[in-house]
Amino acid sequence: MARFDPAAISKVIGATGDDASESETGRLQDRIGEALEKASWPLGDVTIPFTQAAGVLRVSPVSIERAGLRADATGLVDWRAMTTDLRLNLRPLGAAPKGWPEQLPQVGVAWRGPLEAPRRETDVGALSNVVAARALAREIERVEAFEADQRERAMHIRRLRAERELRENERKLTEFLKAEEERRIAEEKRAEEIRKAEEARLAEEARRAEAARKAEEARLAEEARKAEIARRAEEAKQAEEARRAEIARRLEEARIAEEARKLEIAKRQEELRKAEDERRKAEADERARQAAIRAAIEGRPGPMILQGAPPSYIPGDPPGYGRPRGDAPPLPPPLDIQSVPRPMSRSPLQN
């Protein structure tokens, strides 16, 4: 087949890069058209089945493999209108270039128009899609590589940043630990000063409390001493009052005893006086009675007999004459009058 290079599609595929602009349909059609014009396709003997009816020749689908190219042919020829519509779906049979799928895309070539000068058309939709897919895959790979590079860069940046942050954190941690240690030392020093001040305050309070306790003890001792002195003075006063009361009681008892003794002496003197008067009276009565008795015996008028004298009858006395019975009672002994002691002085007691 003249002006139909079987290696044109493989050449175009091999020369197609990863640029997305190469997937443009017009550009691919121009490139394939130029490549097909460079050589012929030696078909040799080929059997093509067809049918013809009502002035139309229809080519049954047939596959032809020659010179590393496979062609699936279909079409028809309209003898009445003297037009044709033939189509070949071409697919290279060789190994696919690197980065292409194992089954290369088809390229359709059609001849349409009058039989004298049919117009050749190229359908590169599948090839354009594969080229676009390759470009997209390459772009995706580049994007993924770029993203991987960006991720690696970001990871490296993050690692560097993490290292810087780690060093910064270590520096800050060192500064913080140093500041914390200084703060701890300052707090310990301040706590020690506070503790010493508190101990000094407590010692001062203890000293003041001890001084207050001693002062209180001294005050209580002084009050106890004063109370003891007052108690002793009160006891001495009470003892003195008791002594004076006892002396007064004794003086009163002595006075009462002296008055009782004087009364007793006066009573005894009165009794002695009465007894003496009675004795004298009795002696006088006895003498009178004796005189009366003697006078009666001698026949002389005797003395007057005191009323109440007991009568005594003597033989030869006239009837009715009474004589005292028995002898006169003896006189009591004279009283022994002793001197009365002088009463005690009632002058105030000398302290």
Side-chain angles (χ1 to χ4, degrees):
M1 182 180 293
R3 298 171 55 193
F4 199 90
D5 188 357
I9 297 175
S10 297
K11 291 177 181 179
V12 171
I13 289 174
T16 301
D18 299 333
D19 192 358
S21 62
E22 295 185 4
S23 64
E24 295 178 0
T25 302
R27 185 175 179 181
L28 287 175
Q29 288 176 348
D30 294 341
R31 291 177 61 194
I32 289 176
E34 292 176 359
L36 289 174
E37 294 290 336
K38 291 181 179 181
S40 298
W41 186 18
L43 291 176
D45 295 335
V46 177
T47 301
I48 299 175
F50 64 91
T51 61
Q52 184 171 341
V56 177
L57 185 147
R58 298 182 182 277
V59 178
S60 299
V62 62
S63 296
I64 302 171
E65 294 183 1
R66 297 286 189 278
L69 182 65
R70 178 180 177 177
D72 295 328
T74 59
L76 59 84
V77 177
D78 189 354
W79 300 111
R80 294 172 300 178
M82 297 301 290
T83 59
T84 183
D85 185 4
L86 297 176
R87 180 178 179 83
L88 295 177
N89 292 326
L90 306 176
R91 185 190 302 274
L93 297 177
K98 184 179 180 180
W100 286 79
E102 294 181 358
Q103 187 176 2
L104 295 175
Q106 290 183 353
V107 176
V109 179
W111 286 267
R112 294 185 179 90
L115 289 175
E116 293 84 2
R119 184 180 66 258
R120 189 175 64 185
E121 297 177 357
T122 305
D123 183 8
V124 295
L127 179 60
S128 176
N129 291 336
V130 173
V131 173
R134 288 184 71 251
L136 180 60
R138 291 293 182 271
E139 187 66 24
I140 290 174
E141 289 178 358
R142 283 195 295 270
V143 170
E144 289 179 351
F146 177 76
E147 290 179 352
D149 183 66
Q150 291 297 321
R151 286 195 298 271
E152 185 177 358
R153 287 175 179 270
M155 185 180 298
H156 181 66
I157 291 172
R158 286 196 299 271
R159 185 169 60 251
L160 293 177
R161 186 178 300 167
E163 290 177 356
R164 286 196 300 270
E165 290 179 355
L166 180 61
R167 289 193 296 270
E168 183 67 18
N169 291 335
E170 289 178 354
R171 184 185 64 80
K172 290 182 179 179
L173 179 61
T174 303
E175 292 178 355
F176 173 76
L177 292 176
K178 183 179 179 181
E180 189 68 18
E181 183 67 18
E182 292 177 355
R183 185 184 64 80
R184 185 185 63 80
I185 293 173
E187 287 183 355
E188 289 180 355
K189 184 177 179 181
R190 185 165 56 253
E192 183 67 19
E193 292 177 355
I194 293 173
R195 185 184 63 80
K196 290 181 179 179
E198 184 68 17
E199 289 179 355
R201 186 183 65 80
L202 293 176
E204 181 65 19
E205 289 181 356
R207 186 185 64 78
R208 291 180 180 178
E210 183 66 19
R213 185 184 63 80
K214 290 182 178 179
E216 184 67 16
E217 289 179 354
R219 185 183 65 79
L220 293 176
E222 182 65 20
E223 289 181 356
R225 187 183 64 81
K226 290 181 179 180
E228 183 66 19
I229 293 173
R231 184 184 63 80
R232 291 181 180 179
E234 184 67 21
E235 289 179 354
K237 179 181 178 182
Q238 291 178 359
E240 182 66 20
E241 290 179 354
R243 186 180 66 80
R244 291 183 180 181
E246 182 66 20
I247 292 173
R249 184 183 64 78
R250 290 180 180 179
L251 290 175
E252 184 66 19
E253 289 178 354
R255 184 184 64 78
I256 293 172
E258 181 66 20
E259 290 179 355
R261 190 180 64 80
K262 288 181 178 181
L263 291 175
E264 183 67 23
I265 291 172
K267 181 179 179 182
R268 287 182 180 181
Q269 289 178 355
E270 183 66 22
E271 289 177 353
L272 291 175
R273 186 183 60 78
K274 288 181 179 181
E276 182 67 20
D277 291 342
E278 289 179 356
R279 186 183 63 79
R280 290 177 180 177
K281 183 178 179 181
E283 288 179 353
D285 290 342
E286 183 63 24
R287 284 193 301 269
R289 189 178 63 83
Q290 292 293 334
I293 291 172
R294 284 191 304 270
I297 293 173
E298 293 176 356
R300 294 178 298 177
M304 182 181 60
I305 303 301
L306 296 177
Q307 186 178 358
S312 176
Y313 296 96
I314 301 174
D317 288 341
Y321 178 78
R323 184 185 294 274
R325 295 180 180 177
D327 296 334
L331 295 175
L335 294 175
D336 185 10
I337 300 174
Q338 297 179 0
S339 62
V340 179
R342 295 179 61 188
M344 297 180 66
S345 176
R346 294 188 181 181
S347 61
L349 296 175
Q350 299 296 327
N351 291 331

